[in-house]
Amino acid sequence: MTAGMMIPARNMPSMIGIHGNVAGFGSSSELALGQPNMMEGQLHRLDMAQNTHEGDMARIRDDEFDSTNTKSGGSENQDGASGDDQDPRPKKKRYHRHTQHQIQEMESFFKECPHPDDKQRKELSRELGLEPLQVKFWFQNKRTQMKTQHERHENTQLRNENDKLRADNMRYREALGNASCPNCGGPTAIGEMSFDEHHLRLENARLREEIDRISAIAAKYVGKPVVNYPLISAPIPPRPLDLGVGNFGGQPGIGGEIYGDGDLLRSINAPTEADKPMIIELAVAAMEELVRMAQMDEPLWMSSLDGTNSVLNEDEYVRIFPRGIGPKPTGFKCEASRESAVVIMNHINLVEYLMDVNQWSTLFSGIVSRALTLEVLSTGVAGNYNGALQVMTAEFQLPTPLAPTRESYFVRYCKQHADGTWAVVDVSLDNLRPSPAARCRRRPSGCLIQEMLNGYSKVTWVEHVEVDDRGVHNLYKQLVSSGHAFGAKRWLATLDRQCERLASAMATNIPAGDVGVITNQEGRKSMMKLAERMVISFCAGVSASTAHTWTTLSGTGADDVRVMTRKSVDDPGRPPGIVLSAATSFWLPVPPKRVFDFLRDENTRNEWDILSNGGVVQEMAHIANGRDTGNCVSLLRVNSANSSQSNMLILQESCTDQTASFVIYAPVDIVAMNVVLNGGDPDYVALLPSGFAVLPDGTAAHGGGMAESAGGSLLTVAFQILVDSVPTAKLSLGSVATVNNLIACTVERIKASLSCESA
């Protein structure tokens, strides 16, 4: 007989609320832990209605119902209640069993509405002859039962996937263990490792990470410890082949010490239940600190010598905020900056961009090389992000292979204050996961967003980090140490430029008189979406990020050029085959703006573009992206000097702000571009982006910005070339040498042209 049973529920995890204090934290912030659904000490009922013999033994315990009647003066369910306080003997609990009819009726109602309101519960209780509280408990425990069954099913799937990955792991181990030298027949020497074998090692490492992640999830549900599978036993070579990077500028040790820690981000798991109260307390304190950092002036913020920047008084900071995340680690440097600007984006949309990890990383693709939300602790209230709290990891980059990326594990908290201002703050959680490999931690950093008229927002950005920057190449040390490489000015300038770009994509009042201007709105959106993907792909292949499946090849003969290769298979956005990428950075004694204008001008393109074969470059169409004329997406045609060759189309995006400039381009198919210009899906257009990133060298006045006559430039040149259309083909050294020569010749041409201009 099917029956219902009521048992005590385990303590339910606390929920995050907004309008109250954090229990036990002593904070005045509005973020709080919500109250449980019932008074402490009461019991939930778990209905175990199943078609088994276990149901015959189920009972419903009416402790709460009896208690309710006692408080209301009822006595119909009590026997000698007046003597409970004096009777030392334990009183026998009374149990009531739901009838089969009652259970069937509630089961039917549950299928239609698993969350009945008070009115529906009262109506159902009258029909079934039950108390509304009994009906409430039955539905609560029925939902718990369904959730348990769902988790059990997911756990089975995870175990199967775990077994599959474990088998793949063992297969790769066996393949690598049986590798032999083709010359002598002995074990493969480290220096003679083939590209395919190296790829197997990388794949094995990825599979191990996947196994660890799934095992951790399985342990969460079944309570079993995480299974640790052994690593492949192989010595690590003393050169950077297994580290995924090269030796840049003749600086030994950079690859091993800095870039070798790329698995740090992927090895971090979601926080435990025990960590969550501490995370909430830290987020509340960080929000309070951010607001004060954004609003206070002297003596916390002092003016720089030239009066253009604010400099943090570290002694005063420690005095005002004595707790925080602890003292600065030995060997770390403090980078703190604050900037304000008005951007063309509604404050609500801006908050949504910042709280959505995918939109955030796309918006700041030149700074964020990868980002991941590990766990959402609160989604906010009232249909918006007020009170949203999420644990994240991210990696921050400069567009150059000569500066190591910065990895961070942090909590992001969003709150709307009483005056209507929104604030989004990040603060590191490294104290929860101490790691000797951590080289960067974020003290409370983020922005205050104030609503303005006509869809604009005033943004005040505070960036405060402590970092070990000893791995930065000498070329970039001045820029990084000035704080402008990763500072508030770069974040805010990028945000301002991207807001203008988004506004341009949504514009409908495009004048039709200008030649070459794309007026079709759907065509504009498709072309800008394609260009956005091109920019993201370029930034991913030019920085020293460890997130991407690029492998550094040795033996290129040039320490200052990073050459990487990947196999492209089943990726509609890339041509299939073996893709080779080369990137290098160097200094030019020319102001950044002049370098940017030279590179984006189609009239001077044949001075440096070897692949255009001396043809005349003509702009066919363009989309303006902002106030600066340098911010635009263009479609160029290369009219070949040789009449026997077909003409080529090039998609190009140029963008510039106060802190950085980019000129990024890719050859595109004429038929595919016609589809895009008519509003077609741009995701299936194959792209291999190449281009340039221009940064100030940090030596000029006013922080070394992109001004007309400011200092020198740091130029990064990067190419992606399809060297073989067959993904399984072997990579030849000749292909590597060809790409290496291409980038070297391009660098020399740029230097020669700009030297003539500056002479």
Side-chain angles (χ1 to χ4, degrees), residues 625-755:
N625 281 342
R627 297 185 301 266
D628 195 302
T629 56
N631 290 328
C632 70
V633 177
S634 305
L635 189 61
L636 309 176
R637 179 193 295 274
V638 180
N639 298 311
S640 175
N642 188 345
S643 59
S644 62
Q645 296 180 350
S646 59
N647 294 332
M648 176 175 59
L649 287 183
I650 295 176
L651 177 66
Q652 174 177 293
E653 174 154 0
S654 59
C655 50
T656 183
D657 57 48
Q658 297 178 358
T659 60
S661 298
F662 295 88
V663 178
I664 303 169
Y665 62 92
V668 289
D669 181 69
I670 295 178
V671 176
M673 280 309 301
N674 283 330
V675 174
V676 171
L677 291 174
N678 288 319
D681 187 359
D683 291 339
Y684 294 94
V685 179
L687 290 176
L688 283 180
S690 301
F692 310 92
V694 187
L695 298 175
D697 61 7
T699 60
H702 311 302
M706 301 293 293
E708 175 71 33
S709 58
S713 305
L714 297 172
L715 179 62
T716 297
V717 183
F719 288 101
Q720 293 186 38
I721 304 295
L722 183 68
V723 295
D724 200 309
S725 58
V726 181
T728 57
K730 297 295 184 180
L731 181 65
S732 66
L733 291 179
S735 300
V736 177
T738 299
V739 175
N740 195 36
N741 290 335
L742 173 64
I743 197 169
C745 292
T746 302
V747 168
E748 291 303 318
R749 287 193 175 193
I750 292 173
K751 287 181 177 180
S753 297
L754 290 175
S755 297

Side-chain angles (χ1 to χ4, degrees), residues 609-622:
D609 190 358
I610 299 174
L611 299 181
S612 64
N613 294 321
V616 177
V617 180
Q618 179 184 3
E619 183 181 74
M620 296 179 58
H622 74 273

Side-chain angles (χ1 to χ4, degrees), residues 318-557:
V318 174
R319 188 189 68 80
I320 299 176
F321 308 106
R323 292 182 60 192
I325 57 175
K328 180 171 62 177
T330 304
F332 279 44
K333 293 182 179 180
C334 173
E335 294 180 5
S337 55
R338 181 178 67 175
E339 293 288 335
S340 295
V342 176
V343 301
I344 181 172
M345 180 178 284
N346 178 277
H347 62 294
I348 298 298
N349 293 338
L350 187 51
V351 169
E352 291 177 351
Y353 269 95
L354 295 177
M355 296 306 295
D356 185 303
V357 66
N358 294 322
Q359 294 191 80
W360 174 65
S361 56
T362 299
L363 196 67
F364 296 100
S365 58
I367 305 176
V368 182
S369 57
R370 56 174 170 163
L372 179 68
T373 298
L374 295 177
E375 183 164 351
V376 177
L377 302 183
S378 172
T379 57
V381 296
N384 58 39
Y385 283 104
N386 184 20
L389 191 72
Q390 52 196 36
V391 178
M392 304 172 63
T393 60
E395 184 181 56
F396 308 110
Q397 65 180 358
L398 268 182
T400 174
L402 304 187
T405 54
R406 298 179 174 184
E407 297 172 338
S408 185
Y409 170 51
F410 58 93
V411 59
R412 174 165 293 179
Y413 174 34
C414 177
K415 178 182 175 183
Q416 185 180 21
H417 293 272
D419 61 354
T421 300
W422 287 83
V424 179
V425 65
D426 298 342
V427 62
S428 281
L429 299 176
D430 297 318
N431 53 334
L432 300 180
R433 301 285 189 275
S435 171
R439 300 180 183 273
C440 174
R441 66 176 191 166
R442 294 173 67 77
R443 288 192 177 274
S445 303
C447 62
L448 265 61
I449 305 169
Q450 181 180 351
E451 180 183 9
M452 300 190 72
L453 298 176
N454 301 321
Y456 284 78
S457 301
K458 180 182 179 182
V459 180
T460 301
W461 200 289
V462 175
E463 196 69 19
H464 189 188
V465 301
E466 292 167 343
V467 63
D468 179 0
D469 62 358
R470 288 173 291 182
V472 178
H473 190 280
N474 289 332
L475 275 177
Y476 286 83
K477 276 192 178 295
Q478 180 69 31
L479 179 63
V480 172
S481 62
S482 70
H484 293 293
F486 295 94
K489 179 178 285 188
R490 185 172 176 224
W491 283 95
L492 203 49
T494 302
L495 175 63
D496 186 25
R497 171 170 52 81
Q498 290 285 58
C499 287
E500 289 187 356
R501 189 183 195 280
L502 290 170
S504 174
M506 302 302 294
T508 57
N509 55 342
I510 307 300
D514 297 339
V515 178
V517 174
I518 301 176
T519 57
N520 177 7
Q521 187 174 12
E522 293 303 319
R524 288 170 60 89
K525 288 183 179 180
S526 294
M527 186 167 171
M528 292 183 69
K529 184 179 179 182
L530 180 62
E532 179 182 73
R533 175 162 64 88
M534 178 179 67
V535 171
I536 293 174
S537 177
F538 172 83
C539 293
V542 74
S543 72
S545 172
T546 56
H548 310 287
T549 53
W550 297 90
T551 306
T552 300
L553 300 179
S554 59
T556 62

Side-chain angles (χ1 to χ4, degrees), residues 66-67 69-71 73-87 89 91 94:
D66 291 345
S67 175
N69 285 334
T70 300
K71 294 178 182 178
S75 61
E76 60 184 0
N77 289 330
Q78 302 183 36
D79 297 324
S82 61
D84 286 349
D85 295 338
Q86 288 78 22
D87 189 357
R89 292 174 300 175
K91 183 178 178 180
R94 299 187 61 186

Side-chain angles (χ1 to χ4, degrees), residues 86-130:
Q86 288 78 22
D87 189 357
R89 292 174 300 175
K91 183 178 178 180
K92 185 177 180 181
K93 304 289 184 181
R94 299 187 61 186
Y95 294 91
H96 298 278
R97 178 184 301 172
H98 291 321
T99 65
Q100 185 175 6
H101 171 70
Q102 290 171 337
I103 294 176
Q104 288 176 346
E105 289 297 319
M106 287 190 288
E107 290 274 8
S108 300
F109 196 91
F110 183 87
K111 294 179 181 179
E112 299 295 331
C113 177
H115 293 272
D117 55 25
D118 289 339
K119 182 179 179 181
Q120 291 173 314
R121 287 198 298 267
K122 289 179 181 178
E123 180 68 25
L124 194 59
S125 66
R126 282 196 297 267
E127 293 178 1
L128 301 180
L130 297 172

Side-chain angles (χ1 to χ4, degrees), residues 147-211:
K147 180 180 178 182
T148 302
Q149 293 174 351
H150 178 69
E151 289 177 348
R152 187 179 296 114
H153 176 69
E154 285 187 342
N155 186 38
T156 301
Q157 291 181 321
L158 289 171
R159 285 187 179 183
N160 294 337
E161 186 68 17
N162 196 350
D163 293 339
K164 179 182 177 182
L165 291 171
R166 184 180 181 184
D168 290 343
N169 189 314
M170 300 302 295
R171 182 164 54 86
Y172 283 120
R173 288 185 61 190
E174 182 179 357
L176 289 173
N178 296 332
S180 60
C181 175
N183 296 327
C184 64
T188 305
I190 293 301
E192 299 170 346
M193 185 182 299
S194 67
F195 171 77
D196 290 337
E197 184 175 343
H198 177 62
H199 181 72
L200 288 175
R201 289 182 179 273
L202 294 178
E203 184 69 6
N204 178 75
R206 186 190 66 78
L207 289 171
R208 174 177 170 75
E209 293 160 6
E210 189 72 4
I211 289 173

